[in-house]
Structures are given as C-alpha cells and as structure tokens.
C-alpha cells in the first residue's frame, strides 16, 4: 500500500525514509505516521493536520514546546523542514513532523493511578508555561465553551426527537 505523502512533503524532509512509513492508530483528529530517519537518527512522527486547524498554530506550538523543554518537561517538538519551515502547506493539506516521545499513548484512563499520573503531568505542564509571553494566533474560537456545546446538544435532541 502506498503511503499518501505528496512529493512536496517528501522533499521537505529528505532525511526521512518515506518508503518505510507506518500508519499510527489512535490519533483522534490528524492522520499520523511513524517515519524512520535515514541513518542512525530516531524516527519522527509525521501528521497530516485536520482542516479544522489553521497552519499558523505551529508558531504557537514552537513557543510552547520551547518553554516546556526549558522547564525539563518532556514534549514532542516540531522537526523543521530542510528549508527551516515549521510545516508544509499544500492544497492536499498541511503536514508537520514531530520528534517521537517514548512511552505509550492512551485515549482513556485505565484507573485512579493513571488519573493521578495525568493530573501530575498536567500540573507540570501548566507550571512550566506560567509566565509564557507569546501572542497566540490561529486559535479555534469557542472550543472550550462547554455551555454553548451543551446548548447545541439540547437543541439537537429537541429538534431530532422524531428520530428516536
């Protein structure tokens, strides 16, 4: 099966062995692959971003991950293209590459110990970013507006009652 990487993406990161890319599952929004590097370098994670994201968010990611690294919080970081760009914007979508962080990815908590671990990491994350001065751009407005989402859900249930 051919992995769907446009030529411009392959040319942006020439040090990656695109022929050995493996699809990663578990991603909730972006299509994701693990792509080995040529030589002894570690593999990277390549993503084709969902169209809901503005490519300008990569400047935000760069600022946040630099602050996390400075605070010694493990984080994936953007791998710049050979030309120094944070991502590749094409008609087929926006692609980015990230360093791979060892460990496992879970989409749900397995119990109280996992919840405590996640809470601890979240506290370290927020502590590391305290005082970060960055002008965030390309943000999706209203994503965390729970009241609005609940209102939309209530309306859908009311208006769609005949479908039940």
């Amino acid at each position: 099966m051919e992995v769907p990487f446009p030529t411009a993406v392959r040319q942006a990161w020439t040090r990656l062995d695109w022929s050995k890319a493996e699809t990663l599952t578990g991603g909730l929004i972006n299509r994701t692959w693990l792509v080995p590097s040529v030589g002894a370098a570690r593999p990277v994670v390549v993503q084709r971003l969902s169209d809901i994201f503005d490519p300008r968010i990569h400047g935000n990611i760069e600022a946040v991950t630099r602050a996390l690294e400075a605070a010694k919080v493990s984080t994936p970081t953007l791998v710049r293209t050979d030309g120094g760009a944070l991502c590749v914007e094409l008609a087929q979508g926006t692609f980015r590459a990230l360093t791979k962080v060892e460990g496992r990815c879970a989409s749900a908590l397995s119990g109280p110990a996992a919840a405590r671990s996640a809470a601890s990491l979240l506290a370290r994350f927020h502590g590391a970013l305290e005082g970060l001065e960055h002008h965030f751009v390309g943000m999706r407005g209203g994503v965390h507006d729970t009241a609005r989402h609940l209102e939309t859900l209530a309306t859908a249930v009311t208006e769609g009652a005949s479908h039940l």
Side-chain angles (χ1 to χ4, degrees), residues 3-60:
V3 180
F5 299 112
T7 301
V9 171
R10 293 172 189 249
Q11 291 173 342
W13 292 279
T14 57
R15 60 196 174 277
L16 299 181
D17 189 348
W18 297 100
S19 67
K20 295 181 181 169
E22 298 175 29
T23 300
L24 294 177
T25 59
L28 301 176
I29 298 174
N30 303 314
R31 293 192 61 198
T32 307
W33 300 267
L34 183 65
V35 184
S37 295
V38 176
R42 294 175 54 170
V44 300
V45 174
V46 174
Q47 294 182 312
R48 191 260 183 221
L49 270 61
S50 167
D51 294 333
I52 65 172
F53 295 111
D54 184 319
R56 295 178 300 160
I57 66 165
H58 292 93
N60 302 340

Side-chain angles (χ1 to χ4, degrees), residues 24 35 88 93 111 122 132 141 144:
L24 294 177
V35 184
V88 175
L122 189 59
L132 173 65
H144 298 292

Side-chain angles (χ1 to χ4, degrees), residues 72-91:
K72 306 285 189 241
V73 176
S74 179
T75 182
T77 58
L78 291 167
V79 176
R80 290 182 177 266
T81 66
D82 294 358
L86 296 174
C87 64
V88 175
E89 296 178 57
L90 304 170

Side-chain angles (χ1 to χ4, degrees), residues 99-128:
T99 58
K100 182 180 182 293
V101 174
E102 292 304 319
R104 68 180 191 88
C105 181
S107 59
L109 295 172
S110 59
R116 280 189 294 278
S117 178
S120 174
L121 177 59
L122 189 59
R124 287 181 44 227
F125 175 88
H126 283 284

Side-chain angles (χ1 to χ4, degrees), residues 114-159:
R116 280 189 294 278
S117 178
S120 174
L121 177 59
L122 189 59
R124 287 181 44 227
F125 175 88
H126 283 284
L129 297 179
E130 186 176 352
L132 173 65
E133 293 195 23
H134 174 74
H135 176 71
F136 288 87
V137 296
M139 303 298 290
R140 292 178 50 226
V143 172
H144 298 292
D145 187 347
T146 304
R148 182 179 60 107
H149 292 306
L150 290 174
E151 182 180 320
T152 301
L153 178 61
T155 301
V157 169
T158 301
E159 292 177 359

